Structures are given as structure tokens and as C-alpha cells.
Amino acid sequence: MEQHLANKDMLQERRARLAAERLLEQKQAELTAANRKLSAHALNLSGQIVDQRRVVEELEGQNTRAAQDLQAANHKVVAVERLLWDAIDTIRDGFALFDANLNLIAANPPYLAVFEGAGDVGPGTAYSDIIDLCIDEGIVDLHGQDPEDWHAMMLGRWSGEQIEPVTLRFWNGVYAKMMDRRTSDGGVVSMVLNITENILREDELRDARDKAQAADRAKSAFLAKMSHELRTPMNGVVGMADLLLENGLDEESTLYAQTIRNSGEALLEIINDVLDFSKIEAEKIQLKPQPFDLERLVQDVALIVDPTVQQKGLDFQVDYDQFLPAEFVGDPGRIRQILTNLVGNAVKFTVAGHVMVRVVGIVDEPNETCRLHFTVEDSGLGVDASMVDHIFGEFNQIEDEANRKYEGTGLGLAISRKLVEQMGGEVWLSSVKGEGSCFGFQITLPLVSQAQAAPNAVPDGVHKALVIEPNAMDLDILTRQMELLGVAVAVLPNATAVSAELDPDVVLVGHHRELCDGASAIEQIRRVLPGVPLIAMVTAADPVTVPDGVTSLRKPFHRQELFNGLTKAVNASAEGKPLRKLRILGAEDNKTNQLVFRKMLKDVNADLTLAVNGVEAVEAFKSDSFDLVFMDISMPEMDGMEASRAIRELEQERGLPPTPIIAMTAHAMEGDEERIRAAGLSHYLTKPLKKEKIHQLIAELSPADAEPFQT
């Protein structure tokens, strides 16, 4: 039993030992696994430590380099700042920097120099204290301004984002311009620029300008005086020479009179060209745009050259496109000058044949402008192709055997070219040597309001016209004018072909040397067509007499003159009574010019009253009525402008329509015409007076019940 129990205990002990051994083995295995894991973790940690050490070493290197770079940058910033301030200290202009509270941070010596001995100004000084110091110590010249107002103005300048510059004058005569700018942090950078030299230079320039203007005024006054003094006697010389040539002189006397007239006109042309060219070269020519009648202007140019045209026996025509408006805005004086130069040259260099002035254009209705093309064609000497550019130069003329006999300054074409270019246009020339030339220019002008509508003043009842005109160019132009107005035109070669079957409403007869006697032609027409209004289209050279009751129309004429002639002829025919004489008042103090004026009106059917000054002219106007007044400008006691103003006042008091007053003046300088017209004169003639121009104005301005000419 005991043995059994002992064996049982030993068995349990063995089992316990085996269990303990198994547990030990298990624990040992777990411990081995744990050691293995721990070893692996330790190895990983060792690698991380190595990596961390490497990173730390790299960061330590970067920090060291960054510290070194920062130190170097700080050294550079300090050096640059030192250089900047050294540079600011060396400039002659003042520099100052203020913080957002407008306290001074720093300033260079030139800025502080103005306050030396007046007070302490340095870092921390308020801007308002600096202004007070300027006022209290008299540092700045206030130019009489109230100190409080000046203080407020200087502070107010810095109140906005944009600071306007201001110029100050210091006690020592130095001028400074303050240029201030706002900084990003609200402070102000102030630059004080020394502009003393500029101010002194401006004063010198101002003095020089004043002296130059005074000299220019003196020159202008001298030129105006000389122009007036030259034109007054030249009016007598040229005018009397023209009148002498009309009196049937013998050959030798005619030569003398022509020489006097041509020399006088050449002198005036030279004076005008030199004055104009000097103004152009000095860029003193200013265009004066104003509304004007272009068609009338072209006709005026034709009248200027008409005496030479008639003397040479040339066929002169004006072809103004009837589809073009007549009213434009531009400088009529300069356009007239250009045309006169071109037309004058064409007539001058044409021995026989024709001269044609043609005006065409294209209207730009959206822009209310018109591109105009002017051409002056002639059958004269022509220009060689190699000389085309040469003749537009200054003082240039064609020096060949054919042209050497023609005199001139060589400035006309140069002046014309410069004037056209100033108007924004261009000039050109096409020519064949020995066959003729065509000068042309193109400009663009604004239209006057409603200018596109051509005036239709054809009298009622005029639907068919009979035209007797042997000149083909005249006939072509007149036919187109009439047909565009809705008037049918029948053309006959001469008066003998007239028949009652034609039944015209008006008859227009052209008088030429090739035609039979004018009076006979008129009588023939009157016998066949009794009661039909007659219009005689005449030129100054026509050797015919227009019978009473026949309306005369002087060539060249434009559309309005044609309308006026038609109206006058129809009215005279309807009334069945002769037209009355004109009543003309002339005011002229110079005895010679009185004689010239009286002789120029020899062929005018008028009662002429002459006054020797403005007082007499006004008294004559008070006591009588006149159709036209010709007024000299420079007269004793009362000049022409004052007299014209008095006449206008009389008309207003009496409720009368304004009488045409034509200025006859030797004042031909720039601005004279505007000044004279402002006094109430309606038209402007410069001396020497031209008979053709006077007659043209008389024909244009005569009332419908008066017959101006007794040719």
C-alpha cells in the first residue's frame, strides 16, 4: 500500500517535472523568439540612429551655411545702404524720408542746408514743425500769401495718395521744386530739386521772346505801312495805265502804257511773293477756314487774268462740275492764291490756243467732306519731263530759249506747293514739251451745311432756252448748266437761223469777233421772237453795243450769276419798261484815286456821288439812297470803317436792308480783311483796283430793276 502510494507520488512528481520541463522549453522558445525580435528592433534602431545622425549633420551644415550667408547678406545690405546714403549725400538736390506719422527719418545735407542756423532739423522732427520753421525764419518766400494759408496748403499736399509738385523760392534766391511720393507703408519720400538755372533760363527766354515779339510787331507794322504806302500810289499808276490803254492810243503810246502797267503789276507780284514766301519759311502762315463759295472764287480768278486773255486772244474757259456743291469751309484767300498762280502761269506761257480751269470732285456724304481736284490745262509751251520737279522749287525757273523772255520771281509754284501741302493735299504736273501743260492739285474740304443742294433760282416759266454760241467750249458748259436745272436747250449757229417755231422762253446770245454785228443779231432775234427775254453773253473785249432792254451777262459767269441774269431778263420783259441807272456812293480822299475810280466806272450806267472822307460819305447816305457804296479805308476826319459802322446804324434806325459796302483799301496784310469786314463792310478790294473786279461786283450786287452797264 505504501509502495503503491509511493509509486503514485513518484508518478505525479514525474508528470509534474515533465510538465515543468515542457513549460520551461516553451518559455525558453518564447524567450528566444523575443530575443530575436529584440535584436532585430535594436538593429533597426541602430540604422535609424545612423540616419538621424546623418540628417543632423546635414542640418548642422545647412544652418552653418545659412548663418554664414545671412551674415554675408547683412554685410552687403549695410554696404549698399552706406553706398546709397553716400550717393544721396553727394547729389545737389535735397532728399528726405518721412515715416507714416510724417516724422523725419533721414535727410541728406542739401535738404538740411536750408535750415542751417535757423533751427535743429533731424531724425524725429515733424513735417509740420519744418513748415513752421520755414514761416517763422523766413526761409521760404510766400509771395504775399497768408502764412496760415501757406501752412495749410503745404500740409494739405500730403493728405492724398497723389501729391502734386510745388515750386518754392528760398530766401537766398534759390528755386526748388518739391517732388513727393507716398511709400507703401504710408510714409513720404521727398525730393527737393534745384531748378534755379531753369527758372533763370526761362526768364531769359521770356525776355528774348518778348523782344522777338516786339521786333515781329515792329516788322509787321513796318510791312503793313510799306504795303499801304506802296499800294496807294500803285493804284494810280496801274489804274491810269489801264485806262490809257482803253483810249485808242497810237502804237508807241500803247507800248509806254503797257510797260507802265506791266512794271507796276510785276512790282506788286514780287512784293507779295517775297512776303508770302518769308512767312511760309518762318511757319507763320496760318490757314483761316471759313465758309465760302468755291465756284465764285474760281470765277474771280478768271476775271483777274481776263485782260491778258483778251489781249492775247486766248480761249479761256471755266468748267465747274455742276454736280458739285458750291459752298465749302476752307481758306478762300489761300485757295485763290494757288489758283491765281497756276492760272496766271498758264496764261503767261500760252501764246495762242486755250486755257481751261476744271473743278471736279467726289462728295463723302457720311463725313460731310468733298475731295476736290483742280486742273489748269493750257496749250502753251509745255514743260520737259526732266524739269517737272525743278519748277516746284524755290526761285526756280525753266531757263531755255522759249522761256527766257518771261520774267518772274520763281516763287509762285513753290508757294502754291507749300500751301497745298499745308492743306493736306498734293500737287502734280503732266506736260508735253511744245504741246501744253496740265497743272493740278487735290485737297479735301468740309461741306457747308446743306451745300449739296445746288441753288435752283430759275424763274417760273423758263423751260426752254435758245442758245446762240459759236464757241464750242462755252456752249458745252452753258448747255450742261441749263440742262441740269431742267431747262431744255436748243442750239443755233447764228441769229439768222432763228425761227418762231422754236418758241423759246429765253434767248442767250454769245458775242464774239467771229459773229456778225451784235446789234444786228439782237434786232434779228427781236423781229422773229418779239417779247422773248434776251440775254447777251459778253466779254470785256467784245466790240459790240448791247441795245437797251437786253440784259448783259459778263463772261466767265457762274451759276448764281446765270440765275440772276435769267431773273433780270424775265422781269424786265414782263414789266416792259427800261431799267433804271444805278446809284453809287464812292468815298476816296486821294485825288488821283478818285480820278482812277471815276474812269473805271465810265462804262457803268450809274449816277456816281463822290465823298472825300467818311464824314461826307455818312452825310450823303443820310440825304440820299444808294444801291452800292465803295469805301476807302484810310481817310482823314473819319476813316472807312467808322463811316461804315455809322451807315449800318442809320440802316437799323430806318429799318432799311443793308446796302453792299465794298472796301477799297491798300491794307493787304494778314488780318486786315477780317478787321474790315467786322466793321460792317460786305466786300473787300485791295489796291491797285482792277476794273474787271469792280465791274464784276457791280454786276453781282446790282438790284434787279437796275441795268449796271451801258455797253
Side-chain angles (χ1 to χ4, degrees):
M1 183 70 178
E2 292 178 355
Q3 183 66 30
H4 177 72
L5 291 170
N7 289 336
K8 186 177 180 181
D9 292 336
M10 290 178 62
L11 181 60
Q12 291 179 343
E13 182 179 355
R14 184 180 296 114
R15 289 177 178 171
R17 187 172 58 251
L18 290 172
E21 289 177 353
R22 286 194 296 272
L23 181 61
L24 178 61
E25 290 177 356
Q26 182 181 355
K27 293 298 183 183
Q28 286 178 342
E30 291 178 354
L31 181 60
T32 300
N35 286 336
R36 190 180 295 114
K37 290 181 179 180
L38 183 61
S39 176
H41 183 63
L43 182 60
N44 185 40
L45 287 177
S46 177
Q48 290 181 2
I49 290 171
V50 172
D51 292 339
Q52 289 294 331
R53 285 177 178 174
R54 186 181 300 112
V55 171
V56 169
E57 289 175 355
E58 291 177 357
L59 291 176
E60 287 178 350
Q62 292 177 1
N63 288 339
T64 301
R65 288 194 299 273
Q68 292 173 348
D69 292 343
L70 180 61
Q71 185 177 9
N74 287 333
H75 286 307
K76 289 181 180 179
V77 169
V78 172
V80 170
E81 183 179 5
R82 185 180 302 112
L83 288 173
L84 176 62
W85 281 105
D86 287 344
I88 291 174
D89 287 345
T90 58
I91 62 176
R92 59 175 297 192
D93 298 314
F95 175 87
L97 178 63
F98 293 81
D99 60 21
N101 296 321
L102 303 186
N103 294 322
L104 182 64
I105 297 175
N108 68 345
Y111 187 92
L112 300 174
V114 296
F115 306 107
E116 185 176 353
D120 294 330
V121 175
T125 304
Y127 177 62
S128 60
D129 293 339
I130 293 176
I131 297 175
D132 288 334
L133 185 62
C134 290
I135 296 174
D136 296 339
E137 298 297 330
I139 295 173
V140 175
D141 185 359
L142 304 185
H143 297 287
Q145 188 175 359
D146 183 78
E148 294 183 0
D149 293 340
W150 189 81
H151 188 282
M153 182 271 293
M154 294 298 291
L155 282 179
R157 290 180 60 249
W158 283 14
S159 61
E161 287 297 323
Q162 298 294 330
I163 304 174
E164 295 296 327
V166 64
T167 299
L168 306 176
R169 183 180 185 275
F170 294 114
W171 63 273
N172 56 359
V174 173
Y175 288 88
K177 187 174 186 178
M178 296 188 65
M179 306 287 292
D180 306 321
R181 294 291 182 270
R182 185 75 62 188
T183 62
S184 59
D185 62 353
V188 174
V189 174
S190 181
M191 286 289 296
V192 184
L193 308 178
N194 189 332
I195 60 172
T196 305
E197 292 183 2
N198 293 343
I199 294 295
L200 295 177
R201 180 60 178 163
E202 287 178 2
D203 291 341
E204 292 176 359
L205 291 175
R206 190 178 299 109
D207 291 341
R209 182 199 62 191
D210 293 342
K211 292 178 181 178
Q213 289 177 344
D216 187 61
R217 287 192 297 270
K219 182 193 72 173
S220 298
F222 172 76
L223 291 176
K225 181 68 174 176
M226 291 305 298
S227 175
H228 179 270
E229 294 302 324
L230 283 172
R231 288 176 182 275
T232 297
M234 288 305 297
N235 182 61
V237 173
V238 177
M240 292 304 293
D242 284 336
L243 295 173
L244 277 174
L245 291 170
E246 297 178 1
N247 287 339
L249 302 177
D250 57 38
E251 184 177 351
E252 185 176 5
S253 298
T254 298
L255 176 62
Y256 295 161
Q258 287 176 341
T259 303
I260 294 171
R261 182 189 63 184
N262 295 339
S263 298
E265 291 179 345
L267 174 61
L268 288 171
E269 182 179 350
I270 292 171
I271 293 172
N272 292 335
D273 282 352
V274 171
L275 291 177
D276 279 341
F277 188 75
S278 65
K279 290 179 182 178
I280 291 174
E281 288 296 292
E283 298 182 351
K284 291 291 184 68
I285 290 289
Q286 293 183 348
L287 301 178
K288 297 179 179 179
Q290 58 182 295
F292 72 101
D293 188 325
L294 178 60
E295 187 179 8
R296 184 177 299 278
L297 184 150
V298 176
Q299 298 291 345
D300 289 346
V301 173
L303 287 172
I304 292 174
V305 299
D306 186 64
T308 307
V309 168
Q310 299 301 331
Q311 180 183 1
K312 289 187 171 185
L314 302 178
D315 185 10
F316 187 92
Q317 302 297 329
V318 174
D319 186 6
Y320 189 95
D321 187 353
Q322 294 301 297
F323 289 101
L324 277 182
E327 298 292 327
F328 295 92
V329 177
D331 189 329
R334 295 305 176 187
I335 296 174
R336 182 185 293 109
Q337 183 177 1
I338 296 167
L339 273 175
T340 301
N341 278 331
L342 298 182
V343 175
N345 277 347
V347 173
K348 178 179 179 181
F349 292 104
T350 302
V351 178
H354 74 278
V355 174
M356 163 77 79
V357 181
R358 179 175 283 114
V359 184
V360 297
I362 300 175
V363 175
D364 183 355
E365 294 184 358
N367 295 320
E368 296 185 345
T369 61
C370 183
R371 184 177 182 183
L372 295 164
H373 287 255
F374 300 79
T375 56
V376 180
E377 307 168 13
D378 66 67
S379 57
L381 302 177
V383 178
D384 191 84
S386 62
M387 302 298 293
V388 170
D389 294 331
H390 174 78
I391 64 173
F392 283 104
E394 296 86 357
F395 301 100
N396 288 346
Q397 293 177 303
I398 300 175
E399 295 294 339
D400 60 20
E401 186 175 351
N403 292 294
R404 197 166 292 124
K405 64 180 180 179
Y406 297 103
E407 299 178 350
T409 62
L411 288 174
L413 291 178
I415 292 172
S416 298
R417 176 176 60 85
K418 289 180 180 293
L419 289 175
V420 170
E421 291 174 351
Q422 190 168 352
M423 295 178 187
E426 59 180 344
V427 297
W428 65 85
L429 166 63
S430 59
S431 180
V432 176
K433 184 69 173 177
E435 297 183 11
S437 304
C438 178
F439 285 85
F441 66 97
Q442 169 267 318
I443 56 176
T444 299
L445 296 178
L447 295 166
V448 173
S449 179
Q450 303 299 324
Q452 290 89 339
N456 188 350
V458 176
D460 294 336
V462 177
H463 305 291
K464 183 178 180 181
L466 177 61
V467 177
I468 302 172
E469 174 58 75
N471 184 284
M473 298 179 72
D474 275 354
L475 179 61
D476 178 63
I477 295 172
L478 178 61
T479 301
R480 284 190 288 114
Q481 287 178 331
M482 300 293 285
E483 289 178 346
L484 286 171
L485 296 171
V487 179
V489 176
V491 179
L492 294 179
N494 51 57
T496 59
V498 175
S499 68
E501 297 176 357
L502 296 172
D503 191 27
D505 300 312
V506 65
V507 179
L508 295 95
V509 184
H511 285 261
H512 289 271
R513 292 185 179 91
E514 296 85 356
L515 193 60
C516 62
D517 179 71
S520 299
I522 295 296
E523 293 304 322
Q524 170 70 15
I525 296 170
R526 279 179 165 173
R527 284 194 298 270
V528 178
L529 300 173
V532 177
L534 295 177
I535 298 177
M537 301 179 293
V538 300
T539 67
D542 284 332
V544 296
T545 300
V546 178
D548 293 339
V550 176
T551 302
S552 61
L553 192 60
R554 286 184 173 251
K555 296 179 182 180
F557 51 81
H558 60 76
R559 69 182 85 173
Q560 192 59 50
E561 290 175 337
L562 175 60
F563 301 151
N564 294 341
L566 289 170
T567 302
K568 186 178 293 187
V570 171
N571 291 342
S573 176
E575 294 174 3
K577 61 180 181 180
L579 300 176
R580 66 173 177 84
K581 283 186 175 183
L582 278 176
R583 293 186 295 273
I584 296 178
L585 172 62
E588 171 63 68
D589 65 307
N590 186 282
K591 297 296 184 182
T592 300
N593 288 340
Q594 284 183 9
L595 176 61
V596 172
F597 183 65
R598 188 187 298 275
K599 294 299 182 181
M600 285 184 173
L601 297 186
K602 180 179 61 175
D603 296 330
V604 177
N605 187 27
D607 290 326
L608 175 63
T609 301
L610 280 177
V612 297
N613 55 49
V615 175
E616 287 192 9
V618 174
E619 291 300 322
F621 196 87
K622 286 181 180 179
S623 59
D624 203 349
S625 60
F626 296 95
D627 300 310
L628 302 173
V629 177
F630 285 84
M631 184 74 70
D632 184 32
I633 297 302
S634 297
M635 293 185 293
E637 298 189 45
M638 178 185 288
D639 63 27
M641 289 189 289
E642 187 178 353
S644 298
R645 282 190 286 265
I647 288 174
R648 294 301 184 216
E649 291 175 0
L650 283 172
E651 290 172 337
Q652 290 181 356
E653 293 173 1
R654 298 174 179 179
L656 299 174
T659 303
I661 304 179
I662 300 99
M664 302 185 300
T665 178
H667 295 280
M669 298 297 291
E670 183 177 353
D672 286 339
E673 182 173 355
E674 292 79 2
R675 182 170 53 88
I676 289 171
R677 288 184 182 274
L681 291 99
S682 54
H683 296 76
Y684 181 84
L685 293 176
T686 58
K687 295 177 180 178
L689 300 175
K690 292 294 184 181
K691 179 180 177 180
E692 294 76 17
K693 182 64 176 177
I694 292 176
H695 285 196
Q696 183 221 359
L697 279 175
I698 290 174
E700 173 189 338
L701 301 174
S702 296
D705 63 340
E707 173 54 59
F709 298 104
Q710 55 189 14
T711 54

